[in-house]
Amino acid sequence: MRKIFLVSLAAIVVSTAFVAIAEPPEHITIDACASKKAPVEFPHQAHFEVTDCVTCHHTAEGLTLETAADMEVAACASCHAEPEKADTPLCSEKSLKKNPFHIACVGCHKTEKKAAKAEGKDFKGPTSCKGCHPKAAK
């Protein structure tokens, strides 16, 4: 009887742990490519309602909030820190036209800010260096 209880308890703990791990993170610290600037604290959950998962996770075909638990999602740096292909943007680049985060994130934020302004609305997403890379506390 005790063995059945322990096996059942272990199954509950393992399944609960899996569910907790399978949830997309609320915030992500993007620090794998940080060099001179502070790492970026990315509000992952805030983007769930404004864009599709595959917009950023472009190698995870079919990724949605509903499929996330069943898919392995690679971190951006797994491809962009040491790219295998010459045309893959390198995340350690500083340039707005070469860094994949700068291309995607800043580009999208500037587009959204312009659209919001045209509609007479405010846009709160950062569009400057300091907006994503705050100065480190001394």
Side-chain angles (χ1 to χ4, degrees), residues 73-111:
V73 181
C76 300
S78 67
C79 293
H80 292 282
E82 295 178 18
E84 291 179 16
K85 298 178 184 175
D87 61 344
T88 300
L90 184 63
C91 62
S92 60
E93 288 282 348
K94 311 296 183 274
S95 166
L96 283 173
K97 296 182 190 243
K98 292 182 180 177
N99 181 298
F101 296 113
H102 294 161
I103 294 166
C105 304
V106 176
C108 184
H109 282 194
K110 285 185 175 185
T111 299

Side-chain angles (χ1 to χ4, degrees), residues 4 6 12 23-24 27 39 44 46 55 73 75 82 87-88 91 100 117 121 127 135:
I4 293 171
L6 291 175
I12 290 170
E23 291 292 318
H27 288 86
H44 190 236
T55 300
V73 181
E82 295 178 18
D87 61 344
T88 300
C91 62
K117 187 176 181 180
K121 298 178 181 177
T127 56
K135 288 207 177 246

Side-chain angles (χ1 to χ4, degrees), residues 7-21:
V7 169
S8 298
L9 181 62
I12 290 170
V13 168
V14 168
S15 65
T16 304
F18 179 76
V19 170
I21 292 169

Side-chain angles (χ1 to χ4, degrees), residues 17-128:
F18 179 76
V19 170
I21 292 169
E23 291 292 318
E26 185 175 333
H27 288 86
I28 297 172
T29 300
I30 302 172
D31 60 357
C33 299
S35 60
K36 293 183 179 182
K37 296 280 185 187
V40 173
E41 294 300 325
F42 177 70
H44 190 236
Q45 192 171 31
H47 290 79
F48 293 172
E49 293 181 17
V50 295
T51 191
D52 294 327
C53 300
V54 293
T55 300
C56 298
H57 299 285
H58 58 95
T59 60
E61 189 174 321
L63 179 65
T64 65
L65 288 174
E66 292 76 30
T67 64
D70 301 324
M71 295 181 74
E72 188 174 320
V73 181
C76 300
S78 67
C79 293
H80 292 282
E82 295 178 18
E84 291 179 16
K85 298 178 184 175
D87 61 344
T88 300
L90 184 63
C91 62
S92 60
E93 288 282 348
K94 311 296 183 274
S95 166
L96 283 173
K97 296 182 190 243
K98 292 182 180 177
N99 181 298
F101 296 113
H102 294 161
I103 294 166
C105 304
V106 176
C108 184
H109 282 194
K110 285 185 175 185
T111 299
E112 291 298 314
K113 183 176 183 176
K114 187 175 182 178
K117 187 176 181 180
E119 294 177 14
K121 298 178 181 177
D122 283 335
F123 177 75
K124 296 184 189 325
T127 56
S128 69

